[in-house]
Amino acid sequence: MATSGSSSLPPLASTKENTTPISSRLSELNESRTELLTRIQGLKQDLQNWRSKLDTQVKIYRDELSELKKSLNVEVDQLRTEFQELRSTLQQQQEDVAASLKSFGLQDNQLGAKETQCSGAEVETETVHTPSEENTNMKAEN
């Protein structure tokens, strides 16, 4: 048995030697695992914080856009109202000018008819005198 006992010692010794590096390696791996889990938790927290900030910014921008849209719609409505008023005013002015031109046109037509009669008489007189003057001028040149 002594021989079997002494032959069993070397495997125990080698197992003990092998156990020490394995246990230190396991402890290193456990530390590394713990560090990685801590880093992962930190990254998850950073991601949640980033998402939260992003969601907050998106909400703020949406609110601002909503306010700008409301403001723009109010301004557009005001401009539509002003343009409608301008259109009405311009139509009224156009009607007033047309009415004024009609009334002036009637007065001008009455005055114009008298002027046309007078002008027509002068033109006839001039046309009658012009050929006789030309004949006189031709005779004088010959």
Side-chain angles (χ1 to χ4, degrees), residues 69-83:
K69 185 178 177 183
K70 287 177 187 177
S71 174
L72 185 61
N73 285 336
V74 168
E75 288 182 31
V76 166
D77 287 341
Q78 287 175 346
L79 285 173
R80 282 185 182 146
T81 302
E82 289 176 15
F83 277 122

Side-chain angles (χ1 to χ4, degrees), residues 3-22:
T3 55
S4 67
S6 64
S7 66
S8 65
L9 283 177
L12 286 176
S14 65
T15 306
K16 199 174 191 182
E17 290 174 4
N18 289 340
T19 319
T20 307
I22 289 177

Side-chain angles (χ1 to χ4, degrees), residues 27-92:
S27 77
E28 287 176 14
L29 288 175
N30 282 335
E31 282 181 35
S32 175
R33 179 176 177 240
T34 305
E35 288 175 13
L36 287 174
L37 288 174
T38 304
R39 285 180 62 191
I40 289 172
Q41 290 298 326
L43 290 172
K44 283 182 179 179
Q45 187 64 39
D46 289 347
L47 181 62
Q48 286 177 343
N49 290 340
W50 180 79
R51 282 183 178 169
S52 176
K53 288 177 183 178
L54 185 63
D55 288 343
T56 302
Q57 285 179 337
V58 167
K59 185 181 182 309
I60 289 170
Y61 291 146
R62 282 186 180 164
D63 291 344
E64 287 177 2
L65 283 174
S66 176
E67 289 299 317
L68 288 172
K69 185 178 177 183
K70 287 177 187 177
S71 174
L72 185 61
N73 285 336
V74 168
E75 288 182 31
V76 166
D77 287 341
Q78 287 175 346
L79 285 173
R80 282 185 182 146
T81 302
E82 289 176 15
F83 277 122
Q84 187 62 35
E85 290 173 0
L86 281 173
R87 182 180 295 143
S88 297
T89 302
L90 286 174
Q91 286 175 347
Q92 184 62 44

